């Protein structure tokens, strides 16, 4: 019998299942992985260094571009760290709006993950279902911030503006008859909150659809059950967070353990797995979508009944009102000064972390009293997860590598920052 060949295989960086520019050097024994060595450095965006040469308020947009599937969640940690150093108290309505969009972003992230993970494993239909349901949430992003992805909506002291009272409408076109136009605009007759409420009413049924396609599908289970198993103890040692940790049975969620904003006032559960494999991580994320939907509904109910300011009234940090800028030269000068020079932040250091869709996303800020950070360090969950790649893939087959990358929910913007 011929001896099984040992060889080295280059996986990526131009690979449809690499979820970015991931390059792995795989040492193989036939089809079996003996060692996986992930290489980063092919994207390197230098976000931390760029933030250190720019005023604090210029770097919010850079945060969106880290994990470009969880845009507002990245902003959230950054503005929380700045607020810690400034010692400001954010208005309650702004806190609810932040939580509302953090959970909208969590659903957006998990839908992207599920569609891409499905494609990696061979389930084409999931991608179409997930992108169908992402579309209304992208419209909500656009309605509130003017852009579908890189929102720059959270600001130190609150949010950019209050939620719009009118949703954009689809317009007539040669490809749309009157009946279709009426259907498309049926849930856009009210405010953004009404639009999101309508989405939330139907979303649990959409999650049921995903589960009917995958949860008991024997091919899906054969590809995920028992693949990439991590024990609870080892998950802690590897620095895993988010669904990667909760899939191993550890009920650790910063929204419960270290509550921020208004999470302590909201009712939701932390889903956990039992076996620590790829299938359990799939189940955890699917249930997280249901829990996020539950949080969104609570936020909408509170916001509909509680008007108020969405930004602090300190014009050293908050820009003047647009009407004042048009009519008052002093306000106009202040507006330009704020957006060009920014503001000085007191000396000190702060760390703020949020329960990002992928795990613990943290920002460490060190200020020397200037208008830009002396040091900014990003704690990206995907960086810790990818470091566990060798351990998770060892002994598995080549095809399982793709499933393990998918279960990690990797986006390279935050890893190679």
């Amino acid at each position: 019998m011929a001896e099984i060949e040992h060889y080295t295989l280059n996986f990526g960086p131009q690979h449809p299942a690499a979820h970015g520019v991931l390059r792995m050097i795989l040492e193989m024994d036939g089809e079996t992985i003996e060692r996986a060595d992930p290489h980063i450095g092919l994207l390197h965006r230098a976000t931390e260094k760029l933030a250190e040469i720019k005023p604090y308020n210029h770097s919010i947009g850079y945060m969106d571009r880290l994990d470009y599937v969880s845009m507002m969640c990245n902003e959230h940690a950054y503005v929380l760290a700045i607020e810690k150093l400034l010692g400001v108290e954010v208005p309650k309505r702004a806190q609810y709006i932040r939580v509302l969009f953090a959970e909208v972003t969590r659903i957006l992230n998990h839908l992207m993950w599920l569609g891409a993970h499905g494609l990696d494993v061979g389930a084409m239909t999931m991608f179409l279902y997930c992108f169908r349901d992402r579309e209304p949430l992208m419209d909500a992003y656009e309605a509130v911030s003017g852009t579908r992805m890189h929102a720059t909506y959270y600001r130190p002291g609150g949010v950019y503006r209050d939620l719009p009272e009118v949703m954009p409408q689809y317009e007539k076109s040669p490809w749309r008859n009157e009946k279709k136009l009426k259907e498309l605009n049926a849930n856009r007759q009210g405010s953004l909150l009404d639009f999101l409420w309508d989405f939330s009413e139907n979303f649990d049924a959409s999650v049921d659809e995903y589960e009917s396609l995958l949860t008991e599908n024997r091919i899906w289970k054969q590809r995920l059950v028992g693949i990439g198993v991590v024990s609870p103890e080892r998950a802690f040692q590897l620095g895993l967070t988010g669904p990667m940790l909760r899939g191993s049975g550890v009920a650790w969620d910063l929204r419960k353990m270290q509550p921020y904003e208004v999470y302590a006032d909201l009712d939701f559960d932390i889903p956990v797995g039992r076996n620590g494999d790829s299938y359990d991580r799939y189940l955890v994320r699917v249930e997280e979508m249901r829990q996020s939907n539950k949080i969104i509904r609570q936020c909408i109910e509170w916001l509909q009944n509680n008007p108020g300011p969405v930004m602090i009234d300190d014009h050293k940090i908050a820009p003047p009102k647009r009407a004042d800028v048009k009519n008052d030269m002093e306000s106009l000068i202040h507006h330009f000064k704020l957006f060009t020079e920014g503001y000085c932040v007191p000396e000190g250091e702060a760390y703020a972390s949020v329960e990002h869709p992928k795990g613990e996303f943290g920002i460490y800020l060190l200020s020397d009293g200037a208008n830009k950070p002396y040091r900014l360090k990003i704690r990206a969950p995907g960086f810790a997860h990818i470091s566990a790649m060798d351990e998770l893939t060892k002994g598995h087959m080549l095809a399982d590598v793709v499933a393990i990358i998918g279960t990690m929910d990797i986006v390279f913007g935050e890893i190679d920052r």
Side-chain angles (χ1 to χ4, degrees), residues 111 114 126 129 133 203 206-214:
L111 287 176
L114 186 56
M126 277 313 305
Y129 277 36
D133 294 326
F203 185 61
S206 295
V207 180
D208 291 340
E209 279 186 325
Y210 314 149
E211 292 221 66
S212 69
L213 281 170
L214 294 181

Side-chain angles (χ1 to χ4, degrees), residues 88-310:
V88 301
E89 177 118 13
V90 179
K92 194 84 164 175
R93 183 172 175 84
Q95 291 185 41
Y96 267 96
I97 291 172
R98 285 180 177 184
V99 168
L100 169 70
F101 272 94
E103 298 309 316
V104 164
T105 305
R106 194 177 312 279
I107 292 174
L108 275 170
N109 179 92
H110 286 356
L111 287 176
M112 181 70 182
W113 158 79
L114 186 56
H117 194 23
L119 273 184
D120 292 346
V121 175
M124 179 72 188
T125 310
M126 277 313 305
F127 192 77
L128 304 176
Y129 277 36
C130 290
F131 269 68
R132 172 200 68 188
D133 294 326
R134 273 171 59 86
E135 200 59 29
L137 299 180
M138 301 306 286
D139 286 346
Y141 252 60
E142 187 175 8
V144 83
S145 71
T147 176
R148 284 165 58 89
M149 284 187 69
H150 304 311
T152 322
Y153 179 59
Y154 292 16
R155 303 289 167 87
V159 293
Y160 160 55
R161 63 172 183 175
D162 208 342
L163 304 174
E165 288 299 320
V166 180
M167 276 298 289
Q169 307 277 308
Y170 283 99
E171 296 178 354
K172 284 184 181 178
S173 85
W175 301 277
R176 237 180 250 134
N177 59 32
E178 285 291 335
K179 185 183 174 188
K180 183 65 177 173
L181 191 66
K182 199 170 178 182
E183 283 175 17
L184 289 170
N185 286 328
N187 61 350
R188 294 168 177 267
Q189 302 308 306
S191 66
L192 172 64
L193 288 175
D194 296 326
F195 178 75
L196 285 173
W197 184 265
D198 180 76
F199 172 85
S200 72
E201 296 243 274
N202 303 305
F203 185 61
D204 279 346
S206 295
V207 180
D208 291 340
E209 279 186 325
Y210 314 149
E211 292 221 66
S212 69
L213 281 170
L214 294 181
T215 302
E216 294 302 325
N217 183 312
R218 71 176 188 270
I219 300 172
W220 184 252
K221 291 180 82 169
Q222 282 167 357
R223 290 299 307 272
L224 298 188
V225 173
I227 302 299
V229 177
V230 190
S231 69
E233 300 76 23
R234 193 65 188 133
F236 270 124
Q237 291 164 357
L238 290 168
L240 307 186
T241 54
M244 289 291 291
L245 179 60
R246 292 190 287 275
S248 294
V250 181
W252 180 265
D253 188 312
L254 294 178
R255 296 171 296 172
K256 288 277 192 186
M257 303 306 177
Q258 299 170 15
Y260 52 97
E261 306 292 18
V262 293
Y263 278 113
D265 302 332
L266 300 171
D267 175 35
F268 63 98
D269 299 318
I270 306 173
V272 293
R274 293 179 182 174
N275 306 310
D277 59 5
S278 295
Y279 186 69
D280 271 14
R281 294 189 280 273
Y282 153 76
L283 292 174
V284 163
R285 287 188 178 101
V286 167
E287 181 56 29
E288 278 188 10
M289 287 195 277
R290 296 188 195 274
Q291 295 301 321
S292 289
N293 196 38
K294 188 176 174 183
I295 294 171
I296 286 169
R297 291 174 71 82
Q298 292 171 68
C299 289
I300 291 171
E301 287 174 339
W302 190 94
L303 288 163
Q304 284 174 331
N305 298 318
N306 294 274
V310 296

Side-chain angles (χ1 to χ4, degrees), residues 363-408:
I363 297 283
Y364 168 74
L365 271 181
L366 180 61
S367 170
D368 59 358
N371 67 335
K372 51 180 75 84
Y374 179 77
R375 183 74 178 97
L376 183 141
K377 179 76 178 80
I378 298 163
R379 194 276 176 202
F383 188 78
H385 296 163
I386 204 169
S387 68
M389 186 70 76
D390 179 51
E391 188 164 324
L392 264 67
T393 55
K394 195 171 289 182
H396 286 301
M397 308 293 276
L398 178 59
D400 297 328
V401 174
V402 174
I404 289 168
I405 293 170
T407 197
M408 285 184 176

Side-chain angles (χ1 to χ4, degrees), residues 16-65:
H19 296 231
V21 287
L22 168 62
R23 177 179 182 235
M24 284 200 298
I25 310 299
L26 302 176
E27 292 181 13
M28 311 283 296
D29 182 0
E31 276 281 311
T32 306
I33 311 292
E34 288 190 331
R35 184 169 180 267
D37 184 13
H39 284 227
I40 63 172
L42 293 159
L43 176 66
H44 198 56
R45 313 178 92 167
T47 305
E48 291 159 336
K49 286 298 160 196
L50 283 167
E52 289 167 16
I53 60 167
K54 292 180 178 293
Y56 286 92
N57 54 350
H58 286 201
S59 295
I60 301 169
Y62 278 109
M63 298 301 129
D64 288 300
R65 291 159 173 81

